[in-house]
C-alpha cells in the first residue's frame, strides 16, 4: 500500500498539541497507524511539546511528592498495566494489510472487520454507519460506503473536515485516494468525488461542525430535490 | 533525565523518582493551569502524570523518544481525558513499541539527544508570529479556529504559520532521519 495523501502539516501539529477536535484526531490516529512517515513526524512534534513545557515557569505544589508507601502500593497495581500494554502493542502489528481489516485504533468502535458492519442506507448508492464520540466530543465521525462508480454532486464543506480511505478508492480534482490516504481539504475547497468503478469505496469521515455536515449530507443524497 | 527514569524502571528507585518529581511536577502544574484547569485540578493532574511515570517506567523505551517527550505525552493525554473530557486518540509511545523496527533505524536511538536539542534550537529560532501560534496550540490548547479568533487573523494565516514552523523543525532534523 502506498500512501500519497497525508494530513495537513497544521493538522498534525494540533494533533500532537492535543488541541485537535476528537473526530479529526480519530482520523489522524488511524492514518498514523498506517503511515510510518507521519508517525515519525508526530514523534518530532511530541518532542516539540516537551520543549514548550520546558519553557514554562514552575508553579509550587501544595502537596508533597508521594511517599515510599504510596509508591509501593502503586507498583503492585502496575503489573496489570504492563499486561494490557503488551496486548495493545501486539494489536499494532498487522497494519499493512487492510483487506477486510479495520486499522487498530478503530477496532474498539467498529470491530475487527469491514465486512460485518451494520450499514444503514442513506440514499442511492450510499450507506453509512455513525460512530460514537465521547460525551463532550464535538462533531461527527462516521463510516461511509459508496457504490462502484457513484458520482457525488460537486460540493464544498465549510468547516474542518477530513476523510480517510479504508477500502477501494475515489478520485476527484485533487487526485486518486486509496487505502490510508487522507483528504484534509481547506474550508473553501470544492470537489466532486467519483467512487472506484470496480469496487466503490469505504471511508471514514470526520467533521467538526455537525449542522453543516448534516445539511451537506442531505444535499449529497438528494442531489435533484435538495438545495 | 532518561537515566533517572531508568533507575526508576530497573530498581524502583524512590530517590530518582523524587528528583523527577521535583523537576517536572511544578512545570506540569503550570501546563495544566494554562490549559484551563483550576489550581487544585492542575496539581492533581501533575501528581497523576508523575505517578503514571512511576507505574509505567518499566515500559519506557529509550529507543522511542526522550524521557521528557514521554512525560509530555502522558500529561497531554491526561489533559485531553480530564480537562477536555474527550477520548485521547494520541497513542503513548509504548503503543508503537513493537513496530519500532519498521520505521526507526537502530542508530537513530543514539541521535535522540541530538534530535531534541535541534528541535529546541529550531523552536527558539522561530519568528515570533510562528512561535505564537505554536504556543497557543500546545500550551493553551486552542484549535486553529480559536487561534484565529484570539489573534484576529484569517484561519488560512494561522495554518500557514503553523506549516512554516513545522517545515523548519523538519528541516532541522532531516539529516537525522536519513541516517
Amino acid at each position: 500500500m502506498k500512501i500519497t495523501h497525508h494530513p495537513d502539516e497544521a493538522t498534525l501539529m494540533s494533533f500532537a498539541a492535543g488541541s485537535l477536535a476528537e473526530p479529526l484526531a480519530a482520523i489522524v490516529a488511524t492514518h498514523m497507524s498506517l503511515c510510518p512517515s507521519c508517525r515519525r513526524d508526530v514523534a518530532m512534534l511530541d518532542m516539540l511539546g516537551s520543549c514548550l513545557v520546558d519553557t514554562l515557569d514552575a508553579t509550587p505544589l501544595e502537596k508533597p511528592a508521594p511517599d515510599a508507601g504510596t509508591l509501593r502500593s502503586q507498583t503492585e497495581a502496575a503489573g496489570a498495566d504492563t499486561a494490557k500494554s503488551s496486548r495493545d502493542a501486539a494489536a499494532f502489528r498487522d497494519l499493512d494489510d487492510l483487506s477486510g481489516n479495520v486499522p487498530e485504533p478503530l477496532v474498539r468502535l467498529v470491530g475487527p472487520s469491514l465486512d460485518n458492519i451494520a450499514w444503514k442506507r442513506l440514499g442511492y448508492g450510499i450507506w453509512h454507519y455513525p460512530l460514537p464520540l465521547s460525551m463532550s466530543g464535538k462533531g461527527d465521525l462516521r463510516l461511509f460506503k459508496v457504490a462502484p462508480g457513484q458520482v457525488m454532486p460537486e460540493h464544498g464543506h465549510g468547516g474542518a473536515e477530513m476523510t480517510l480511505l479504508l477500502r477501494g478508492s475515489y478520485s476527484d480534482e485533487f487526485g486518486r485516494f486509496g487505502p490510508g490516504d487522507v483528504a484534509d481539504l481547506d474550508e473553501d475547497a470544492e470537489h466532486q468525488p467519483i467512487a472506484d468503478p470496480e469496487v466503490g469505496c469505504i471511508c471514514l469521515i470526520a467533521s467538526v461542525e455537525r449542522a453543516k455536515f448534516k445539511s451537506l449530507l442531505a444535499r449529497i443524497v438528494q442531489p435533484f430535490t435538495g438545495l | 533525565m532518561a537515566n533517572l527514569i531508568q533507575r526508576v524502571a530497573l530498581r524502583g528507585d524512590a530517590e530518582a523518582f523524587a528528583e523527577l518529581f521535583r523537576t517536572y511536577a511544578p512545570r506540569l502544574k503550570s501546563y495544566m493551569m494554562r490549559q484551563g484547569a483550576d489550581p487544585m485540578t492542575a496539581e492533581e493532574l501533575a501528581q497523576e502524570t508523575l505517578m503514571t511515570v512511576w507505574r509505567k517506567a518499566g515500559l519506557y523505551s529509550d529507543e522511542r523518544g526522550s524521557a521528557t517527550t514521554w512525560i509530555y505525552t502522558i500529561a497531554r493525554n491526561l489533559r485531553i481525558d480530564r480537562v477536555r473530557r474527550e477520548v485521547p486518540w494520541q497513542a503513548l509511545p509504548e503503543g508503537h513499541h513493537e513496530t519500532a523496527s519498521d520505521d526507526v533505524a537502530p542508530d537513530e536511538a543514539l541521535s535522540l539527544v541530538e534530535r531534541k536539542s535541534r528541535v529546541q534550537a529550531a523552536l527558539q529560532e522561530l519568528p515570533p508570529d510562528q512561535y505564537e501560534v505554536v504556543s497557543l496550540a500546545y500550551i493553551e490548547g486552542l484549535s486553529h479556529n480559536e487561534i484565529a479568533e484570539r489573534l484576529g487573523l484569517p484561519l488560512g494565516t494561522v495554518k500557514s504559520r503553523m506549516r512554516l514552523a513545522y517545515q523548519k523543525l523538519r528541516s532541522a532534523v532531516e539529516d537525522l532521519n536519513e541516517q
Side-chain angles (χ1 to χ4, degrees):
Chain A
M1 172 175 43
K2 177 91 181 84
I3 294 177
T4 49
H5 300 275
H6 302 271
D8 190 297
E9 292 163 336
T11 304
L12 289 178
M13 188 174 268
S14 290
F15 177 79
S19 58
L20 198 62
E22 187 177 322
L24 304 180
I27 296 263
V28 174
T30 309
H31 171 78
M32 276 175 66
S33 76
L34 305 166
C35 180
S37 77
C38 283
R39 282 207 291 280
R40 191 185 61 203
D41 276 10
V42 170
M44 170 191 82
L45 295 168
D46 285 347
M47 202 170 252
L48 174 64
S50 78
C51 292
L52 281 157
V53 171
D54 285 348
T55 67
L56 297 177
D57 293 330
T59 302
L61 298 194
E62 305 290 327
K63 283 184 283 183
D67 59 26
T70 311
L71 291 179
R72 256 199 314 279
S73 69
Q74 289 288 328
T75 305
E76 281 151 26
D81 276 2
T82 311
K84 179 183 178 304
S85 172
S86 49
R87 260 205 322 281
D88 290 350
F92 240 92
R93 252 171 283 169
D94 307 304
L95 292 175
D96 281 334
D97 175 21
L98 258 187
S99 53
N101 295 335
V102 171
E104 190 276 338
L106 289 180
V107 168
R108 81 184 161 82
L109 297 184
V110 176
S113 169
L114 288 175
D115 294 319
N116 302 321
I117 292 167
W119 294 106
K120 291 172 204 165
R121 189 163 179 277
L122 193 61
Y124 182 74
I126 304 177
W127 293 261
H128 73 143
Y129 181 73
L131 300 178
L133 297 173
S134 60
M135 293 291 278
S136 23
K138 289 185 191 68
D140 193 276
L141 182 66
R142 66 182 76 199
L143 292 167
F144 280 86
K145 184 169 80 164
V146 184
Q150 178 77 34
V151 182
M152 305 278 180
E154 183 164 21
H155 62 273
H157 295 279
E161 193 192 296
M162 293 172 80
T163 301
L164 171 73
L165 244 289
L166 294 171
R167 179 190 282 178
S169 74
Y170 76 78
S171 300
D172 68 5
E173 291 82 340
F174 301 97
R176 180 181 177 277
F177 292 77
D181 280 331
V182 164
D184 187 1
L185 303 181
D186 277 334
E187 311 229 334
D188 48 2
E190 297 227 334
H191 68 156
Q192 183 171 29
I194 304 172
D196 184 289
E198 303 282 318
V199 293
C201 68
I202 294 178
C203 55
L204 178 68
I205 300 189
S207 169
V208 173
E209 293 182 60
R210 194 160 193 181
K212 282 185 188 166
F213 186 64
K214 291 236 158 174
S215 74
L216 171 64
L217 280 185
R219 214 150 55 83
I220 283 178
V221 300
Q222 299 174 306
F224 306 109
T225 57
L227 302 172
Chain B
M1 286 303 148
N3 188 32
L4 287 176
I5 293 191
Q6 268 153 6
R7 278 165 61 195
V8 171
L10 297 175
R11 303 200 290 271
D13 185 333
E15 258 175 56
F17 178 77
E19 197 173 333
L20 272 182
F21 193 96
R22 272 195 300 277
T23 309
Y24 288 108
R27 253 188 250 142
L28 290 173
K29 183 173 175 182
S30 302
Y31 171 68
M32 297 298 179
M33 286 168 70
R34 293 282 289 273
Q35 296 281 355
D38 63 77
M40 203 163 74
T41 308
E43 166 139 351
E44 277 167 21
L45 295 177
Q47 297 255 6
E48 196 170 332
T49 301
L50 269 298
M51 283 316 298
T52 305
V53 170
W54 171 261
R55 283 190 285 110
K56 294 197 171 178
L59 301 172
Y60 168 74
S61 160
D62 218 2
E63 289 163 29
R64 283 304 308 185
S66 76
T68 50
T69 304
W70 186 58
I71 295 173
Y72 164 74
T73 59
I74 293 172
R76 174 199 60 202
N77 284 15
L78 201 52
R79 162 181 81 74
I80 293 171
D81 184 36
R82 301 296 177 72
V83 183
R84 289 174 75 104
R85 298 187 184 283
E86 292 182 6
V87 172
W89 283 84
Q90 290 82 344
L92 296 177
E94 81 246 15
H96 291 277
H97 185 235
E98 300 263 328
T99 57
S101 57
D102 297 343
D103 46 42
V104 179
D107 54 359
E108 202 176 320
L110 301 174
S111 62
L112 272 169
V113 175
E114 172 69 13
R115 185 178 292 261
K116 167 116 191 216
S117 74
R118 295 221 201 147
V119 168
Q120 204 152 24
L123 171 66
Q124 278 155 8
E125 282 163 21
L126 287 180
D129 60 345
Q130 289 169 29
Y131 189 101
E132 185 177 41
V133 296
V134 169
S135 172
L136 287 171
Y138 276 90
I139 302 300
E140 316 279 335
L142 301 186
S143 70
H144 298 156
N145 274 315
E146 289 164 341
I147 295 171
E149 267 170 46
R150 172 84 66 98
L151 300 178
L153 290 171
L155 181 62
T157 307
V158 170
K159 286 194 191 180
S160 68
R161 285 181 187 176
M162 273 194 172
R163 287 180 199 128
L164 288 170
Y166 183 108
Q167 285 151 15
K168 282 184 187 137
L169 289 169
R170 193 165 43 195
S171 66
V173 299
E174 209 155 34
D175 58 315
L176 299 175
N177 291 342
E178 284 158 9
Q179 274 172 12

